[in-house]
Amino acid sequence: MFEPSANVSEAFFRHLVQTHALGHRGFHGEDHWRRVLFNGRMLAAATGANLKVVELFALVHDSRRENEDHDPEHGLRAAHHARTLRGTWFDASDDEMELLTEACRLHSDGLTAGDLTVRVCWDADRLDLGRVGLRPSARYLCTDHARRPEVIAAAYRRSLLGADA
């Protein structure tokens, strides 16, 4: 179930769901977005990352995928799309938009260094790898909190079950 916040409304979530051309039966649709949102909220609370950026990333990062397999430009398309949504569906400062677009643009590149908020975005996504049959590895996570064995185990269980929390 989607839980709105001061940063992401139910209407915004529904808009993204309805305009996601790929559909939601695969690995990169609304169920994944909700788990990334859950992971991101947990990580932001533990690390002090910018919650607004993390929540926006969770919903936007895969919203412009064109297929479920190799789609190297989907992060760049998501970053551009986020800029078009600003001012209509959410407000964000210029600094927050820079973080959001960087997180979206580079989230599939395997990077682990950078701004804390960007790293939390990437970890929130990577913790949901169970949906594609992979257990997240601490080696590819960016924050100490995400690398904790109990965090990885809980996220892996959620992704296998398809559960939001």
Side-chain angles (χ1 to χ4, degrees), residues 12 16 20 27-37 53-65 71 73-79 81-82 85 100-101 103-108 121-122 124-126 128 131:
F12 177 48
L16 292 172
H20 183 53
F27 298 120
H28 297 97
E30 68 178 294
D31 292 340
H32 169 57
W33 304 347
R34 285 193 304 265
R35 286 189 303 275
V36 174
L37 182 62
V53 172
V54 171
E55 288 184 334
L56 291 169
F57 170 84
L59 301 186
V60 174
H61 77 285
D62 279 340
S63 67
R64 286 298 179 247
R65 284 192 74 90
D71 188 359
E73 300 298 317
H74 81 278
L76 181 60
R77 286 192 304 272
H81 188 55
L85 299 167
L100 175 59
T101 56
C104 287
R105 188 170 47 86
L106 300 173
H107 79 273
S108 294
C121 291
W122 296 341
D125 186 35
R126 292 172 189 171
D128 194 42
R131 76 191 193 285

Side-chain angles (χ1 to χ4, degrees), residues 35-158:
R35 286 189 303 275
V36 174
L37 182 62
F38 180 89
N39 293 340
R41 286 172 171 166
M42 176 265 304
L43 292 172
T47 64
N50 183 310
L51 180 61
K52 179 187 292 186
V53 172
V54 171
E55 288 184 334
L56 291 169
F57 170 84
L59 301 186
V60 174
H61 77 285
D62 279 340
S63 67
R64 286 298 179 247
R65 284 192 74 90
E66 293 179 351
N67 65 66
E68 289 286 351
D69 299 310
H70 187 68
D71 188 359
E73 300 298 317
H74 81 278
L76 181 60
R77 286 192 304 272
H80 288 306
H81 188 55
R83 291 194 183 283
T84 71
L85 299 167
R86 181 185 185 193
T88 301
W89 292 103
F90 64 86
D91 292 316
S93 70
D94 290 345
D95 289 343
E96 288 169 331
M97 284 305 298
E98 284 302 313
L99 293 172
L100 175 59
T101 56
E102 179 180 346
C104 287
R105 188 170 47 86
L106 300 173
H107 79 273
S108 294
D109 290 0
L111 302 174
T112 57
D115 179 90
L116 171 65
T117 296
V118 172
R119 291 183 291 130
V120 164
C121 291
W122 296 341
D123 280 353
D125 186 35
R126 292 172 189 171
L127 283 170
D128 194 42
L129 286 172
R131 76 191 193 285
V132 295
L134 299 173
R135 184 178 179 89
S137 169
R139 189 167 111 200
Y140 299 109
L141 296 170
C142 309
T143 63
D144 289 339
H145 190 79
R147 291 185 198 107
R148 293 171 60 180
E150 66 273 18
V151 171
I152 293 171
Y156 185 61
R157 277 192 305 276
R158 281 191 303 277

